[in-house]
Amino acid sequence: MPHTLKLLSAAEASSLDDELRRLFSEAQLAELAGFAFASAIAAEYELPRYARVLVVLGAGANGRDGMAAARHLAAFGYAVPILRAWPANASSYELLVDAVFGHRYTPPPRPPFAALLAALRASAVPLVSLDVPSGWPVDADAPPDGAALAPHGLVSLLAPKRCALHFDGAHLLAGRHVPPPLAARLGLHPPHFAAAAPFVRLEGLRCDAAEGRCTLRADALPLPPSFSAAAAVFSACISLVLLAYAVGALARSECRLFGLLWRPGLSHARHRDDAATRSSTRDAGL
Ligand SMILES: NC(=O)C1=CN([C@@H]2O[C@H](COP(=O)(O)OP(=O)(O)OC[C@H]3O[C@@H](n4cnc5c(N)ncnc54)[C@H](OP(=O)(O)O)[C@@H]3O)[C@@H](O)[C@H]2O)[C@@H](O)CC1
């Protein structure tokens, strides 16, 4: 069965933000997102090929998370300078990270961001966007126009936003800090993440703008085949142990029902014990 991903509208993404802000501080959210973003970037854009990274920040929470991601990338060994303006040597970087706008962007871009987006669009350096390709209308049914950013990669945070329908590059999903009951209540339906990885590659993702949904092919599981086989063997062993235990319990015919212990094997013995108790009580004249 293919796995259908929930795509969030801008309003749904804001509701999720509100829920998360009740659970985490802003600093915690930044660290969780920043680490997840950086881990996904490091997996897709490996060292040493993409060692020099320029992270471009906006004024909102997307920029704040981009700042945290930059710090984590630096800790992973990437060279991530802190600059106040678009550098003259931007083409010498090996990767551009777009953390300008997230899901609260409303077009058109105001100064100075219009020029910043144009510079990102014009660059030949591979570009990866965090959560939303900056400048893309989040809820748009139509693909963005030719002047919009065309990132090589997209790292969606927690759940892809609706505009991801029109993205067909390398797509990863980062962040797994939505508590499962909240994810279930919001119908997020996240895919499986491998072990403790804070991101998953959305390989085999097929987005259909007409249907308004993205599905992951059933065979595009994040677990490597060797791990899946090991997991299958492990779960088969556990099932066998549980089955052996159940058969053993049945053989001993122990059933506990509403607090009463019924043991056919023991009932005769208990009957004998009761009879013996009654006769010893009688003998004792009690
Ligand atoms: N860590 C986590 O777990 C979570 C992290 N999250 C992350 O936060 C992101 C959402 O953050 P956000 O709400 O701050 O919005 P975001 O889009 O970054 O910035 C808005 C800024 O842009 C500005 N602006 C807007 N339009 C403009 C325009 N046309 N031209 C110029 N400026 C414009 C706007 O200015 P204003 O309109 O307010 O004047 C404001 O300053 C989300 O995508 C995800 O990455 C959250 O999902 C929560 C969970």
Side-chain angles (χ1 to χ4, degrees):
M1 276 284 288
H3 181 103
T4 301
L5 285 177
K6 166 93 173 174
L7 298 168
L8 298 184
S9 64
E12 288 170 323
S14 290
S15 304
L16 173 58
D17 289 4
D18 294 342
E19 298 272 5
L20 289 173
R21 286 197 171 96
R22 279 195 270 276
L23 299 172
F24 301 99
S25 68
E26 293 295 323
Q28 285 174 318
L29 285 174
E31 286 311 305
L32 286 164
F35 181 72
F37 277 140
S39 302
I41 292 171
E44 187 65 26
Y45 303 95
E46 290 180 3
L47 286 172
R49 165 73 184 81
Y50 297 97
R52 279 172 51 76
V53 183
L54 183 62
V55 184
V56 185
L57 308 175
N62 192 255
R64 174 204 67 188
D65 295 350
M67 183 71 180
R71 190 158 25 78
H72 287 290
L73 283 170
F76 295 166
Y78 291 80
V80 194
I82 296 178
L83 307 170
R84 287 185 153 270
W86 184 258
N89 65 345
S91 60
S92 71
Y93 286 82
E94 286 148 338
L95 182 66
L96 299 179
V97 178
D98 153 34
V100 180
F101 296 130
H103 61 67
R104 206 157 56 81
Y105 166 78
T106 46
R110 300 188 297 268
F113 294 101
L116 189 58
L117 294 186
L120 281 173
R121 177 77 177 93
S123 173
V125 178
L127 174 71
V128 56
S129 291
L130 302 188
D131 202 27
V132 174
S134 292
W136 286 29
V138 177
D139 290 337
D141 289 329
D145 63 30
L149 290 191
H152 170 271
L154 170 64
V155 187
S156 293
L157 183 67
L158 305 174
K161 311 303 171 290
R162 270 196 67 78
C163 58
L165 276 172
H166 312 295
F167 178 75
D168 61 2
H171 194 172
L172 297 92
L173 180 69
R176 49 195 299 188
H177 48 284
V178 180
L182 176 59
R185 178 155 61 80
L186 300 178
L188 291 190
H189 208 212
H192 295 292
F193 287 69
F199 69 92
V200 58
R201 279 196 173 85
L202 298 180
E203 279 164 0
L205 188 71
R206 193 185 68 83
C207 291
D208 188 320
E211 289 179 8
R213 63 180 185 154
C214 292
T215 49
L216 270 175
R217 268 200 339 260
D219 61 345
L221 291 170
L223 302 181
S226 56
F227 187 92
S228 303
V233 169
F234 180 71
S235 63
C237 290
I238 294 286
S239 306
L240 276 176
V241 169
L242 289 176
L243 187 64
Y245 180 80
V247 168
L250 267 181
R252 288 197 306 277
S253 300
E254 289 187 2
C255 296
R256 195 181 283 274
L257 184 63
F258 301 118
L260 293 175
L261 184 67
W262 175 71
R263 295 185 182 181
L266 284 181
S267 65
H268 298 299
R270 184 176 298 154
H271 187 71
R272 276 201 308 277
D273 289 351
D274 290 350
T277 309
R278 275 200 302 279
S279 87
S280 59
T281 310
R282 223 180 14 251
D283 293 349
L286 297 172

